[in-house]
Amino acid sequence: MSTTYREHYTRQDHENWEGDWELIDGAPYAMSPSPGFSHQRLEKVLLIAIDHILKQCDRCEAVSEIDWSPNEDTVVRPDVLVVCDQTGEFVRKTPELIAEVVSPTSAFRDEKMKFELYQQEGVKTYLLVYPEERRVKIFRWHEGRLIKDGDYANESITLEIQDCQGRVDLSQLWRKP
């Protein structure tokens, strides 16, 4: 008789770990090494652009590098997320928008594992940002799932977050400081 055993961890276990980890369906994933300078710069520019859209929406907030735990065995840390009507210090409710800056080491997790998680949890907009290709894939919620809206590079795109809407000039993501 062959039985496969898999360790299963919870949010409580995650809170006691040293270092940076994500937990997806009870399985741990190391988040090291830390993202490089270009990754952080791109994340900052995107955060500022989304935050500018939200100036007209006092119910929603754009943040980066914060843990989101939709259930007891999952804790992820998206690069940028938008949460509305947030109460308390811990993000438990589903974000309206999530953006991940994709690196070669994070591609599988961002494109497959997190995509499935974000779709399952009902995230309305998911951006996959590819710095080396200077490209952004946008997925939007439609009929109960995330559907690819398109691949964009230097265009201005419209983001809708609840009652707020605004444009982001993607060419600004790739500009040199």
Side-chain angles (χ1 to χ4, degrees):
M1 178 169 109
S2 173
T3 304
T4 303
Y5 293 97
R6 182 178 144 230
E7 293 185 53
H8 187 90
Y9 297 95
T10 66
R11 180 188 308 148
Q12 187 174 8
D13 296 318
H14 177 270
E15 291 169 1
N16 295 313
W17 293 341
E18 292 184 22
D20 286 332
W21 294 85
E22 288 186 311
L23 181 65
I24 301 174
D25 293 329
Y29 297 90
M31 294 179 62
S32 59
S34 296
F37 185 83
S38 60
H39 177 113
Q40 292 289 349
R41 193 196 136 285
L42 185 59
E43 185 178 308
K44 176 191 76 172
V45 171
L46 185 58
L47 178 68
I48 290 169
I50 293 170
D51 190 57
H52 181 73
I53 292 170
L54 296 175
K55 294 281 185 232
Q56 58 183 315
C57 186
D58 60 0
R59 295 179 35 235
C60 301
E61 185 81 26
V63 292
S64 65
E65 299 293 328
I66 189 168
D67 290 344
W68 169 46
S69 182
N71 57 54
E72 286 299 316
D73 65 358
T74 299
V75 180
V76 292
R77 188 178 304 155
D79 291 317
V80 175
L81 65 80
V82 173
V83 66
C84 300
D85 302 315
Q86 171 66 21
T87 58
E89 286 298 307
F90 303 101
V91 179
R92 301 284 191 251
K93 66 185 328 182
T94 300
E96 292 291 312
L97 177 146
I98 290 180
E100 297 283 6
V101 179
V102 181
S103 68
T105 58
S106 72
F108 179 78
R109 198 175 327 158
D110 293 336
E111 295 170 345
K112 305 289 186 221
M113 298 175 75
K114 287 185 172 183
F115 180 92
E116 288 177 17
L117 170 66
Y118 299 163
Q119 180 169 258
Q120 174 186 323
E121 295 298 326
V123 172
K124 301 294 186 254
T125 305
Y126 184 33
L127 308 176
L128 286 167
V129 182
Y130 297 86
E132 290 81 20
E133 300 169 29
R134 295 183 171 210
R135 179 172 58 104
V136 178
K137 288 184 183 179
I138 300 177
F139 296 87
R140 299 182 195 264
W141 191 257
H142 181 72
E143 296 182 357
R145 62 191 190 119
L146 288 168
I147 302 293
K148 187 174 180 184
D149 180 67
D151 285 47
Y152 302 92
N154 293 309
E155 300 91 326
S156 279
I157 59 164
T158 299
L159 293 179
E160 296 176 9
I161 302 163
Q162 288 201 356
D163 298 333
C164 301
Q165 178 177 314
R167 298 195 59 77
V168 174
D169 180 0
L170 294 179
S171 68
Q172 293 302 301
L173 297 179
W174 324 123
R175 69 172 168 69
K176 296 285 183 199

